Amino acid sequence: MGCLRALLCIIFPPLAVLDRGCGTVIIVFLLTLAGWVPGAIAALVLNFMAANSR
């Protein structure tokens, strides 16, 4: 995961997981609506897991 992607996870989490699929975007969007911190953490974790699986 690059620095730009990590920064995007913190600033606008749903945009950072846009390439992961519709379900992931919806989940992160709902978490972001519930509170910014849960959405940012979910986006960081999902992007970190995807980067390590390659």
Side-chain angles (χ1 to χ4, degrees), residues 10-36:
I10 294 169
I11 294 172
F12 191 64
L15 188 60
V17 296
L18 198 58
D19 61 340
R20 305 280 181 250
C22 183
T24 305
V25 173
I26 291 171
I27 290 171
V28 172
F29 181 72
L30 291 175
L31 284 170
T32 305
L33 285 178
W36 172 77

